[in-house]
Amino acid sequence: MSTQRSGETSCLGHIDGKQCRTVLSKDTKFCSNCGTRNPAKIAADDQVKSADTNQSEQEKATVYACSSGNIQGTDKSKSDQKRSTEDESASDKDKDKSADTKQIEKPTVYGSASGEEITDSDEVAVGEDNDKIFKTTSADLQKLEDEISTDKSIGSIEKDVFQILREKGPEATIEYITDTIDSWKKTTVKIAVAGKSAVGKSAFINAIRGINKTDKGYATEGLGDTTMEVQEFPHPKNKQIIYCDLPGYGTVTIRREEFLEKVKLLEFDMFLIFVYPVPTEDDDWLVKQLIKAGRQFCYVRAKLDRDIKNAKKIGIKEENVIEEIKKKVHHTTENMPSSKRVEVFCISNKNMSIGEIQDLIIFMKGKIPTLKFEAVLFSLSAFVDEVINIKYNILKERIFFVSFEIALNMHIVHPDAITSPAFGEIILYFETLCLNKDFHSIIPNLKHPFTVQHIQNTLLIELKDKIGGGFRQFVPFYNIYVSHQACSQFFTQLLDELKEDYHTVHHYLTNETIPKITVLTEDILQ
């Protein structure tokens, strides 16, 4: 267990039903391992905020206000604070006199988010130009939360988002959303690729990263016991994802004891143990060590393409090859107590669109923390429809939060503040669905070409048109709700259309009757 220094604390989050306990510094906002917020950092921020303000409990209920379309935080000059406090007192008296104010029905553009009519008592004059700001009550926030939350099923951080919005305002909410939904980019994942020599380890490391022989970072293949030390191969799309080629074990050059000295089992998130043609006693020994260490693992049987080719020669149908392989593995492991129930996945390193690569990925989803799995998933090429479906579902879960971030941004910074977060999300869609290539020049009927001009001049303009914002000065919270709705509809439609484009591209590249460019085919099928 690591020793904590002054100012450090252990993460209170949980992974796979166990407490995370990652050591966090006092300045760390979110745990890089499980994504849980650091309570020490939150408490420190609250102390700073408390020292800088002397607001009453009623003033603390006001989260932010909107001035000429810009939502402002609680920082004001002393004169503004005094003027605001005096007018709030007058407003309270006026509200008492008009307690029977008639409620207006949504979607009116003349009411506040809480459904109340806006009267003179709700307005506060600010500055010489008499721009108006509107006070925001806890009822306003509750109305906004109720409206947005009923739109769809959303992720586990929903409550945190609205709590931060209530307590710290929109700026802190935007920062939290950005840090949380993109935290997968910062998390480190180490996948151990283990096994004896000539079982397909290096070929897998190259294939899973989309690396060819002439590329930088190529793992040397087919030279016997070439790995004497742990060799790390970062993914070119995300350097935080590292595939580690482990040395062999139980060989003349490296005995089992030496292997454990070279390989620190607890450093890795998961072990893929490659076997060919079946597990050996040394593989079973490694399984025992991993069970003791509490590590996640499975067997991987590569070279399926070779097995299919050989099976055809002896009259075995392609669809029966995997079943025959697993029968042999099961027969071999009957006398290996540790290996009896180990999952086995049959894959081809030369063509990952065949075999059980999708089952392996789904297996990993349930074995490593969510953030780490998302990082791995977004780095993968398409392979098969099952992988695309998992990617699609995770991207769809982001839409609520990205839309909320953009809607808040519009009313804090400027209506054009949607450009940066929206552009980044659109690029992520193209990259994750493997459409960030010049496919449109050779493949007909694609809805969205991957060009800067199309993204900026078509998609972003379409998003701005959907959001509109004609009532920005009058109904800030209702405008946030409408903007969130428009963003959600835009990103959902775009994601659906890009998924269709993926299927169009995949059909084109896998149809043997259509001439195609080799480089593009390799990019999406690796």
Side-chain angles (χ1 to χ4, degrees), residues 150-196:
T150 55
D151 290 340
K152 61 176 63 180
S153 173
I154 52 183
S156 59
I157 67 170
E158 172 203 354
K159 291 183 179 179
D160 290 340
V161 168
F162 286 109
Q163 181 180 351
I164 294 172
L165 181 59
R166 283 193 181 92
E167 297 176 357
K168 299 189 176 183
E171 293 93 343
T173 306
I174 291 172
E175 182 181 0
Y176 173 75
I177 291 175
T178 302
D179 289 346
T180 303
I181 65 175
D182 289 334
S183 55
W184 59 270
K185 297 178 181 178
K186 304 173 185 177
T187 187
T188 300
V189 188
K190 296 187 77 171
I191 306 295
V193 182
K196 307 190 74 124

Side-chain angles (χ1 to χ4, degrees), residues 266-299:
L266 297 180
E267 290 184 359
F268 302 97
D269 295 291
M270 188 168 184
F271 283 74
L272 305 180
I273 307 173
F274 277 68
V275 299
Y276 191 86
V278 293
T280 65
E281 290 184 358
D282 288 319
D283 297 321
D284 187 60
W285 167 82
L286 178 57
V287 168
K288 290 179 183 178
Q289 307 309 310
L290 295 177
I291 292 174
K292 291 178 183 178
R295 299 293 85 189
Q296 303 293 344
F297 58 88
C298 66
Y299 281 141

Side-chain angles (χ1 to χ4, degrees), residues 144 171 253 331 346 365 441 495:
L144 179 67
E171 293 93 343
T253 52
H331 177 74
C346 299
K365 183 175 186 289
S441 63
L495 187 57

Side-chain angles (χ1 to χ4, degrees), residues 137-263:
T137 67
S138 58
D140 291 322
L141 285 168
Q142 187 61 52
K143 181 68 174 176
L144 179 67
E145 181 176 353
D146 291 343
E147 292 290 354
I148 293 179
S149 297
T150 55
D151 290 340
K152 61 176 63 180
S153 173
I154 52 183
S156 59
I157 67 170
E158 172 203 354
K159 291 183 179 179
D160 290 340
V161 168
F162 286 109
Q163 181 180 351
I164 294 172
L165 181 59
R166 283 193 181 92
E167 297 176 357
K168 299 189 176 183
E171 293 93 343
T173 306
I174 291 172
E175 182 181 0
Y176 173 75
I177 291 175
T178 302
D179 289 346
T180 303
I181 65 175
D182 289 334
S183 55
W184 59 270
K185 297 178 181 178
K186 304 173 185 177
T187 187
T188 300
V189 188
K190 296 187 77 171
I191 306 295
V193 182
K196 307 190 74 124
S197 63
V199 292
K201 294 186 298 178
S202 299
F204 171 80
I205 291 173
N206 291 327
I208 201 72
R209 297 179 302 136
I211 295 294
N212 296 313
K213 193 170 185 177
T214 56
D215 295 333
K216 182 179 179 181
Y218 176 78
T220 304
E221 301 177 20
L223 297 180
D225 290 320
T226 57
T227 307
M228 302 301 293
E229 303 289 339
V230 176
Q231 296 183 358
E232 296 187 348
F233 296 92
H235 199 292
K237 291 182 181 179
N238 185 346
K239 302 298 184 183
Q240 298 293 99
I241 304 171
I242 305 170
Y243 291 90
C244 301
D245 190 358
L246 305 188
Y249 40 82
T251 65
V252 175
T253 52
I254 299 181
R255 295 177 291 107
R256 293 177 178 181
E257 294 76 11
E258 290 177 307
F259 175 85
L260 292 179
E261 291 176 0
K262 293 176 178 290
V263 180

Side-chain angles (χ1 to χ4, degrees), residues 87 89 114 165 169-170 191 236 312 335 380 392 430 444 447:
D87 287 349
S89 299
S114 61
L165 181 59
I191 306 295
K312 289 180 179 179
N335 297 320
L380 297 176
Y392 170 85
F430 276 96
K447 296 180 183 295

